[in-house]
Amino acid sequence: MMKKVVIIVVLMLLSIIITTTLSMSVSSTTTDTVAAVTYDERALLINGKRRVLISGSIHYPRSTPEMWPDLIQKSKEGGLDVIETYVFWNLHEPVRNQFDFQGRSDLVKFIKLVGEAGLYLHLRIGPYVCAEWNYGGFPLWLHFIPGIQFRTDNQPFKMEMQRFTTKIVQLMKQEKLYASQGGPIILSQIENEYGNIQSGYGSAAKSYINWSASMATSLDTGVPWVMCQQADAPDPIINTCNGFYCDQFTPNSNKKPKMWTENWSGWFLSFGGAVPHRPVEDLAFAVARFFQRGGTFQNYYMYHGGTNFGRSTGGPFIATSYDYDAPIDEYGLVRQPKWGHLKDLHKAIKLCEEALIATDPTSTSLGSNLEAHVYKTNSGVCAAFLANVGTQSDATVSFNGNSYHLPAWSVSILPDCKTVVFNTAKVNSQVVNAKLTSHSLEETSDSSGAFSSGWSWVDEPVGISKSNAITKPGLLEQINTTADVSDYLWYSLSTQIQGTEPFLKEGTKPVIHVESLGHALHAFINGKLAGSATGESSSKRSLTLETPVTLAPGKFTIDLMSLTVGLQNYGAFFDTVGAGITGPVKLKGLQNGSTIDLSSYQWTYQIGLKGEDSGLSDGSSTQWIVLPSLPKKQPLKWYKRQ
C-alpha cells in the first residue's frame, strides 16, 4: 500500500514538473516573439539591438492573394527584412461605415503571410497615400461631407481621419499583429509627403501635422511612427526621406535615425508615355551611398509594383500597369539583372552591419569626387565604403595602403576595410531576356482581314439609354454628379434653331465648340461621331473640342460623352479639382457669323453606360455577339476575347 502511495505521489510530482516546464517553455517562446521596437540616433532597435534593415514595398491590392506567398518569398530570397505597404481607405470603406477586408482587400491575411515568412512589416496607414491611386486613397463619399476640407486643420476631416486610422489600428491589435504583441509590424506611418505641399494650407498646416502626430501616438501601437517628407515632424515621430537619392538627408533631430521610406526603383507608367526604366547600377549606387553616409533603414518603392485593377488607378492618365520597373515585375516574375544585383548588394551591406550600427562613419577625401567612409568599432571591427561620385571617369584610389579601381558613379563595399566584395557598377547577375513566343499580343488575320476567332462584341447606345437619367438647366461638373461610380457621364441636348433665314453660311459647316475640365470627350451629332479630344497629362487635364459638324435647319441632338481616366491623387487641394464639361458649349459659324451658346439649355444626364449595368465590364453578360467578321474602327463597341 505504501509503495502504491509513493508511486502515485511521484507521478503527481512528475506531472507538476512536466506541466511547469511546458508552461515555462511556452511562456519563453511567447516572450521571444514579442518585440520591443524603439529607436536611437543610429537605427531602429528591436529588443534593444540596433538593426540595419532593408525593405521593399508590395501593395497587397495590386496583386492577387494567390500571388502573395510567392512575392513575399522572393522578397525574402532577395535579401529583404521588411515589407512595406500602404493602407487604402477607399478600398476598405467604399461606403461610409461599410468595410471590406476580403480578397485583395484582406490586409490581415497579407500581414500574417509576411510574418509567417519571418519578415517584418511597415504599415503606412496614411490615410492619404497618393500612390498613383484613385483620389489618393480617399473614398469619394468623404468629398460630400458638409464643411469638409481635406488634409488641414478641419474638424470634419480630422474626425473621419481619426475614425479610420483607429479602425485599422484596432484591427491590427485584435489580430495581434504589432511587434509589441508578437506580430510582424515594427513601424507605422501617419500622413504622407505632406511637407511637399503644406505651404498651400498656410498656418493651418502646422496645427494639422501636430494633431496628426498626437492622434497617432495616442493609439498606443507599441511601435514607432514615421512621417515621410515632413521636416517639421514633431517628436517622437521620425521624419524620413523619399526620392531617387537620400544620402544627403538629415533627420530633424540628432536623436532620430536616418531612414529612407521611398527609394524609387523606377517610375509609374502614364498612358501614351514611355515605359520607365531605372538602371540597376544607379539604384544600387543610391542604396550604397545611403548606407555609406549613415543610413540604416532603406525601402524600395516598389519592390513589386503589380497592377491597378478595376478603376483603382489615379492620375489622371496613369496606366493600368503599375510595374514600376521593380525587381519583381508586374506578373510576379523576378526581373534580372535588377533583382540579382540588389540581392548581392544586400549581402554586402549585411556583412557590414556590426560596424554600421556601432558608430557614425568617418569620412575622408580620396581626390576630386572620391570619398571613403569608414565605420570602426571599439573592438576593431571595420567596414568601408569607397565612392566615385563623378559621372564621367573611372578612378584608381589609394586606401589603407592598397590600390582600388572605382568605376564612375559607383561605390565599392569593403566589409573588412580591405577586400572589395561588391561594386555597384559591376553587374554579375544573370540577364534574362524574355521573349514572347505566343501570338497573344498580335492578332492574326485571314484573307478578308477579319480578326481570328475568339472575339465578340456588344453595341453601346449613343446618348441616353437608361431610365434614371436626369434633366437640369446648365452644365454639371462630372465628379459631383457621378460620385465616381462610373468613369462616364453623358451630356445630351435635343434642340431646334428657330427662324426662317438659312441656317448655315453658304458653302460652310457650323463648328461645335466644347470646353471641358477633362479628361476625355467624344461628341456625337444626331447619333454620329463628330469628333474626340483628350487631355494631355495630370497637369494638363482640360481640353477643348472644336470640329465642323453637319446640320440642317430644324431639330437636332448633341450627345457628349465625358470620361474620367483616374481621379487626381496628388497636390494641395487635389480633391477640389473637377472634371467634365463645364462649358461653354457653342455652335459657331452660323448665318451672319453668329454663335449660339448652348451652355444654359436644358441638358439631360446619364451616369455610366448601359453596358456597365448589363455586366459587360465584368464578363457576366450573355449579350455578346459572335460573327466571323468583327466590326472595327467603329465607336461605342464593347469587345471581349475568350
Side-chain angles (χ1 to χ4, degrees), residues 330-460:
E330 179 178 4
Y331 308 103
L333 305 175
V334 165
R335 171 174 277 119
Q336 296 288 23
K338 185 167 279 189
W339 184 88
H341 191 54
L342 294 177
K343 177 180 180 179
D344 294 341
L345 168 64
H346 303 155
K347 289 179 180 178
I349 290 169
K350 288 294 185 175
L351 290 173
C352 304
E353 183 169 13
E354 183 178 355
L356 287 173
I357 62 175
T359 182
D360 291 324
T362 58
S363 61
T364 304
S365 173
L366 302 177
S368 177
N369 292 324
L370 302 169
E371 301 173 3
H373 286 70
V374 176
Y375 294 84
K376 194 169 186 178
T377 69
N378 292 332
S379 61
V381 176
C382 184
F385 294 75
L386 309 182
N388 180 357
V389 299
T391 59
Q392 302 299 318
S393 302
D394 293 3
T396 299
V397 300
S398 178
F399 174 73
N400 282 352
N402 295 311
S403 181
Y404 298 91
H405 176 254
L406 291 176
W409 200 248
S410 77
V411 177
S412 287
I413 300 176
L414 294 68
D416 60 358
C417 286
K418 296 178 182 178
T419 308
V420 175
V421 299
F422 184 87
N423 179 272
T424 58
K426 298 178 180 179
V427 179
N428 297 315
S429 299
Q430 180 182 5
V431 178
V432 178
N433 293 317
K435 294 183 178 179
L436 290 174
T437 55
S438 72
H439 59 276
S440 60
L441 300 181
E442 183 177 340
E443 298 300 332
T444 58
S445 299
D446 59 25
S447 58
S448 66
F451 279 102
S452 58
S453 62
W455 283 96
S456 55
W457 81 93
V458 176
D459 289 316
E460 176 69 31

Side-chain angles (χ1 to χ4, degrees), residues 121-435:
L121 187 122
H122 178 193
L123 190 67
R124 307 177 75 186
I125 298 176
Y128 167 73
V129 298
C130 183
E132 292 73 57
W133 190 269
N134 195 51
Y135 216 46
F138 286 148
L140 211 290
W141 55 257
L142 204 64
H143 173 75
F144 297 101
I145 293 177
I148 199 166
Q149 287 185 301
F150 291 7
R151 304 179 77 197
T152 189
D153 194 2
N154 171 267
Q155 194 59 32
F157 176 74
K158 292 192 296 184
M159 287 178 61
E160 293 299 324
M161 175 176 169
Q162 182 168 7
R163 181 183 60 82
F164 180 74
T165 304
T166 302
K167 169 76 175 181
I168 297 301
V169 169
Q170 288 177 344
L171 178 61
M172 299 301 102
K173 287 183 176 181
Q174 290 168 8
E175 299 290 338
K176 300 187 183 304
L177 294 177
Y178 284 106
S180 55
Q181 303 172 292
I185 302 174
I186 59 169
L187 281 172
S188 287
Q189 179 178 300
I190 196 70
E191 249 299 333
N192 187 58
E193 296 186 327
Y194 189 70
N196 292 350
I197 50 90
Q198 76 176 63
S199 61
Y201 294 91
S203 60
K206 182 63 177 177
S207 54
Y208 166 65
I209 281 298
N210 289 340
W211 171 85
S212 298
S214 177
M215 182 271 290
T217 54
S218 72
L219 296 174
D220 192 25
T221 61
V223 302
W225 288 85
V226 306
M227 284 182 171
C228 62
Q229 295 295 91
Q230 196 64 47
D232 60 353
D235 295 342
I237 307 293
I238 306 169
N239 66 303
T240 67
C241 183
N242 292 356
F244 286 111
Y245 309 98
C246 281
D247 54 285
Q248 298 189 40
F249 168 75
T250 302
N252 65 11
S253 167
N254 58 12
K255 297 180 180 179
K256 299 177 183 179
K258 181 173 178 174
M259 298 176 61
W260 192 357
T261 37
E262 289 189 17
N263 177 3
W264 301 325
S265 57
W267 200 242
F268 60 86
L269 176 66
S270 296
F271 282 118
V275 176
H277 172 63
R278 186 180 186 187
V280 69
E281 296 90 338
D282 179 66
L283 181 57
F285 172 83
V287 175
R289 283 288 285 170
F290 180 72
F291 287 103
Q292 176 179 3
R293 295 172 60 90
T296 51
F297 180 101
Q298 186 272 158
N299 176 76
Y300 296 102
Y301 187 100
M302 303 291 298
Y303 199 75
H304 163 72
T307 303
N308 293 315
F309 292 102
R311 299 175 55 246
S312 62
T313 183
F317 306 118
I318 294 171
T320 305
S321 171
Y322 202 68
D323 181 88
Y324 224 88
D325 195 32
I328 302 175
D329 74 11
E330 179 178 4
Y331 308 103
L333 305 175
V334 165
R335 171 174 277 119
Q336 296 288 23
K338 185 167 279 189
W339 184 88
H341 191 54
L342 294 177
K343 177 180 180 179
D344 294 341
L345 168 64
H346 303 155
K347 289 179 180 178
I349 290 169
K350 288 294 185 175
L351 290 173
C352 304
E353 183 169 13
E354 183 178 355
L356 287 173
I357 62 175
T359 182
D360 291 324
T362 58
S363 61
T364 304
S365 173
L366 302 177
S368 177
N369 292 324
L370 302 169
E371 301 173 3
H373 286 70
V374 176
Y375 294 84
K376 194 169 186 178
T377 69
N378 292 332
S379 61
V381 176
C382 184
F385 294 75
L386 309 182
N388 180 357
V389 299
T391 59
Q392 302 299 318
S393 302
D394 293 3
T396 299
V397 300
S398 178
F399 174 73
N400 282 352
N402 295 311
S403 181
Y404 298 91
H405 176 254
L406 291 176
W409 200 248
S410 77
V411 177
S412 287
I413 300 176
L414 294 68
D416 60 358
C417 286
K418 296 178 182 178
T419 308
V420 175
V421 299
F422 184 87
N423 179 272
T424 58
K426 298 178 180 179
V427 179
N428 297 315
S429 299
Q430 180 182 5
V431 178
V432 178
N433 293 317
K435 294 183 178 179

Side-chain angles (χ1 to χ4, degrees), residues 83 110 112 348 420:
I83 300 297
F110 179 77
K112 286 183 175 180
V420 175

